[in-house]
Amino acid sequence: MAGRPRRLIVLASGLLLALAGCSSTDPTPKPDVVVDLLQQDWQHTSGVTADGDVLRVAATARSIVQQNGGGGQPNPPLNLAGTHLAVSGDFTLSATFADVTADASWALYDRPPVIADEFRVEPAGLRLTLQGDGLEIAVFDGTQKSDVTQPVPVHDERVTVSDPGAPLTVRRSGDTLMIASGADRLASLPLGKVFSSGNLWLGLSSDSGAFNVTSLKAAAPESAGLRTSGAAVADVHPSAEGLQALAAKTRPDFRIGAAVALGPLTADADYAREMVSNFGSVTPENAMKPQALSPQRGVYTFEEADAIIAIAKSKGMIVHGHTIAFSEAMPHWMRELPSGTAAERQSSATALLDYIRTVVTHFKGKLDSWDVVNEPFDVDQGTSLQQNVWYRVFGPGYPTVVSQAVYKADPAVKQFINENGADVPGRRQAALLKLALDTNARGGHIYGVGLQAHVYDFSTDAIPAGKLSKTLAKFEAAGLRVRISENDVKDDPGTGAQAEQYATVLATCLRSSACVSYTTWGVDDRYDWWVDDHGNLQQGHDFIFNDGQPTPAYDAMRRALGG
Ligand code: XIL
């Protein structure tokens, strides 16, 4: 056993010295620290399979489809829940690719990207893509150019390599970034903001083929502190003082939850601490939407959702699945299923029911509940069903079809219909109540409704205690449970009014036995997803934590829980 690491050390040391142009006859060379990345944890990276001494990489075709059906910004998987590297000084990374059928891409990022349904914010980092003997070198510096949804590399060039099978080397040396193939130096660039976080997140992906990684190593002098690192969330634990613990004192079964994303859970210690110490329930914010789970018909990428679920389980949290039938966040194949003729509807129905069966079966036993239908009604406060693919294929009774298919695959999971703008009595709420009851009258299995409780604009969205109480009583009388499913509140009228609104919704929900849980739609404002008309991310105005600190809303929620 002892021989193998030593051999690696000598090899990598020689590589570093050769790249630096130093003499290898230095009388007292310090041994490098070497990490063999092939032997690390890749199990939650979609498209990557560890097979002995080789990583096999296959295309997932993950991409981001915009709400209007356009787009296709690549969304290649990264190793988020597995191993990443911490390194504070100079380092060298090398990778050898074999059997490349189309393209082979290797990404090295400073931090995970922020992934929304409509766009992905590229962090600082580097992506090398080998295609034939062409190598594309794309460098991102993590700053926004014009529009956050259109990441622009600060450096993008295509070079020719003499031997595509030679190791590719990426080296940070002081403030220079060097890229080489075998002994050929390909690029030497100013480092700028690339690799400034002290962490390296790795991705291996192909756009349209497959390849093998036969070697993948990191090496650095001892002084650089190179080490492998796991998810930030591994080091934090539920707190007896957190929101969930406070709520459980009066209602032991009540759950306080948050919508989460895997990137910050694994990379941001503040976010991980805020999440784990306060919440007893998790809703994957985007990772269980059809676009994330099935980028191509018949192809499933469950790894990211599975990683979130594994984290939740390890912390004693329950998981709410979000979401099956939805007009948004659909992959192209699903959005474009034909429905013009009876034969087309028949074959599209098969595809949609296959999707439900596969997904619900995969998560069976791991979820407490599912949003089986999400945002069924027309946007802008409408009361008729949106004519999405589910409607076009199954007709206006589609919620019953969906509910029955979910039940068939997992009879125990609690089913919800989730909607916005239905938090106070009115036409929209009446339509939601009717839809839930009609769905069950036709043979569906709806357990309750999700009231999203987004308060984006106080003049139209405010949720007073009295109106929410009446709402909860109405659903209770109809035999339905309620989840407050996505509460978030803007701070436009001040953080005092924002805090009061948060506390009102929580306290009112707690007082009703029909209200089984409360979920806030995010953890820390660092990751708010609101993009304004100019393509800027608007952060810092919604959630109960901001930049690692509780906002007044957090304290108000604690008071509402008697803390
Ligand atoms: C939002 C996510 O938070 C964003 O990251 C994504 O870009 C768009 O969707 N109602 C819902 C959620 O049911 O799925 C939405 O989530 C917020 C509104």
Side-chain angles (χ1 to χ4, degrees):
M1 285 301 285
R4 187 177 151 114
R6 211 171 47 237
R7 200 169 71 239
L8 291 177
I9 286 167
V10 173
L11 274 176
S13 181
L15 189 67
L16 272 178
L17 292 167
L19 272 166
C22 296
S23 153
S24 56
T25 55
D26 184 335
T28 50
K30 275 261 184 325
D32 291 328
V33 173
V34 176
V35 177
D36 183 350
L37 286 155
L38 288 185
Q39 305 301 334
Q40 300 296 321
D41 172 7
W42 288 89
Q43 65 169 322
H44 287 300
T45 316
S46 299
V48 178
T49 314
D51 186 359
D53 284 339
V54 175
L55 293 177
R56 301 197 188 286
V57 184
T60 63
R62 268 171 65 127
S63 65
I64 293 175
V65 183
Q66 287 161 18
Q67 319 264 311
N68 62 7
Q73 179 189 342
N75 186 18
L78 282 184
N79 189 355
L80 293 176
T83 309
H84 70 276
L85 294 170
V87 59
S88 53
D90 291 351
F91 61 84
T92 302
L93 282 159
S94 64
T96 310
F97 300 154
D99 307 313
V100 181
T101 64
D103 60 291
S105 197
W106 180 26
L108 294 166
Y109 284 132
D110 214 27
R111 51 178 56 85
V114 173
I115 301 172
D117 285 350
E118 309 81 0
F119 59 86
R120 150 171 168 150
V121 183
E122 285 303 275
L126 170 73
R127 199 161 57 215
L128 299 178
T129 305
L130 187 67
Q131 211 164 7
D133 64 356
L135 182 76
E136 185 183 355
I137 303 171
V139 182
F140 296 85
D141 72 354
T143 60
Q144 181 177 343
K145 297 293 164 302
S146 52
D147 179 339
V148 72
T149 67
Q150 309 283 335
V152 182
V154 285
H155 180 91
D156 195 2
E157 75 173 309
R158 204 181 154 82
V159 296
T160 302
V161 294
S162 52
D163 176 9
L168 286 171
T169 311
V170 173
R171 179 170 184 230
R172 174 170 83 187
S173 172
D175 51 13
T176 304
L177 173 65
M178 286 188 270
I179 294 148
S181 166
D184 301 336
R185 195 177 285 196
L186 303 174
S188 183
L189 308 164
L191 191 63
K193 294 194 178 125
V194 181
F195 304 150
S196 58
S197 75
N199 288 297
L200 282 175
W201 300 83
L202 304 166
L204 292 165
S205 59
S206 171
D207 259 0
S208 54
F211 63 100
N212 292 333
V213 184
T214 54
S215 90
L216 186 61
K217 285 183 203 120
E222 213 173 334
S223 59
L226 174 69
R227 60 191 166 80
T228 55
S229 195
V233 71
D235 303 328
V236 289
H237 305 287
S239 156
E241 302 302 314
L243 298 178
Q244 175 61 51
L246 288 176
K249 284 186 186 164
T250 47
R251 285 192 55 187
D253 295 333
F254 191 87
R255 292 291 175 152
I256 308 249
V260 302
L262 187 59
L265 258 186
T266 54
D268 184 332
D270 290 334
Y271 181 105
R273 174 180 39 79
E274 292 159 359
M275 174 66 208
V276 175
S277 49
N278 284 292
F279 298 104
S281 168
V282 165
T283 305
E285 182 178 359
N286 297 320
M288 291 178 73
K289 293 176 180 172
Q291 171 175 265
L293 292 184
S294 180
Q296 282 179 302
R297 185 166 171 176
V299 172
Y300 290 89
T301 46
F302 289 123
E303 290 79 4
E304 199 172 315
D306 285 347
I308 294 176
I309 292 170
I311 290 167
K313 185 167 182 218
S314 74
K315 309 294 175 190
M317 300 170 178
I318 61 169
V319 182
H320 174 73
H322 177 79
T323 173
I324 298 175
F326 186 21
S327 301
E328 298 174 8
M330 268 190 272
H332 281 295
W333 74 262
M334 186 182 279
R335 186 179 284 272
E336 286 152 18
L337 284 172
S339 56
T341 65
E344 284 175 345
R345 285 193 292 280
Q346 180 70 41
S347 76
S348 297
T350 304
L352 291 172
L353 293 173
D354 273 355
Y355 175 83
I356 296 181
R357 188 175 32 76
T358 307
V359 165
V360 176
T361 303
H362 177 85
F363 294 114
K364 187 176 175 178
K366 296 186 177 148
L367 305 180
D368 181 65
S369 48
W370 258 116
D371 286 330
V372 297
V373 175
N374 191 42
E375 301 189 346
F377 298 122
D378 280 336
V379 289
D380 297 332
Q381 295 303 299
T383 56
S384 13
L385 293 175
Q386 292 197 53
Q387 304 207 352
N388 57 25
V389 67
W390 301 91
Y391 183 101
R392 286 189 288 103
V393 170
F394 296 111
Y398 83 81
T400 302
V401 178
V402 171
S403 175
Q404 287 178 332
V406 172
Y407 186 83
K408 201 168 160 199
D410 184 355
V413 77
K414 296 173 196 132
Q415 300 187 18
F416 285 82
I417 301 182
N418 190 44
E419 186 53 283
N420 60 40
D423 319 307
V424 297
R427 290 174 59 233
R428 184 123 158 145
Q429 184 177 98
L432 176 62
L433 177 58
K434 182 169 179 329
L435 181 66
L437 293 178
D438 285 354
T439 301
N440 285 348
R442 292 184 185 127
H445 301 269
I446 302 302
Y447 181 76
V449 297
L451 302 177
Q452 293 189 359
H454 291 293
V455 183
Y456 297 144
D457 177 346
F458 267 68
S459 68
T460 50
D461 307 339
I463 306 173
K467 289 188 177 181
L468 184 55
S469 289
K470 263 194 204 130
T471 299
L472 297 171
K474 204 191 297 174
F475 283 103
E476 182 161 33
L480 294 164
R481 306 296 208 295
V482 178
R483 305 177 70 244
I484 298 296
S485 56
E486 305 190 7
N487 188 213
D488 57 359
V489 183
K490 286 246 178 288
D491 67 357
D492 289 349
T495 52
Q498 178 194 34
E500 204 178 309
Q501 176 66 94
Y502 263 112
T504 297
V505 172
L506 175 59
T508 311
C509 172
L510 269 178
R511 278 196 298 271
S512 158
S513 54
C515 199
V516 290
S517 66
Y518 166 95
T519 286
T520 180
W521 202 245
V523 177
D524 193 299
D525 261 319
R526 263 180 206 157
Y527 303 98
D528 197 352
W529 55 280
W530 200 257
V531 178
D532 68 17
D533 293 342
H534 307 288
N536 296 304
L537 262 181
Q538 293 296 322
Q539 294 174 322
H541 302 285
D542 284 291
F543 299 144
I544 64 173
F545 293 95
N546 188 16
D547 249 340
Q549 297 300 322
T551 67
Y554 176 74
D555 299 324
M557 285 180 56
R558 292 186 67 85
R559 285 195 296 276
L561 294 168

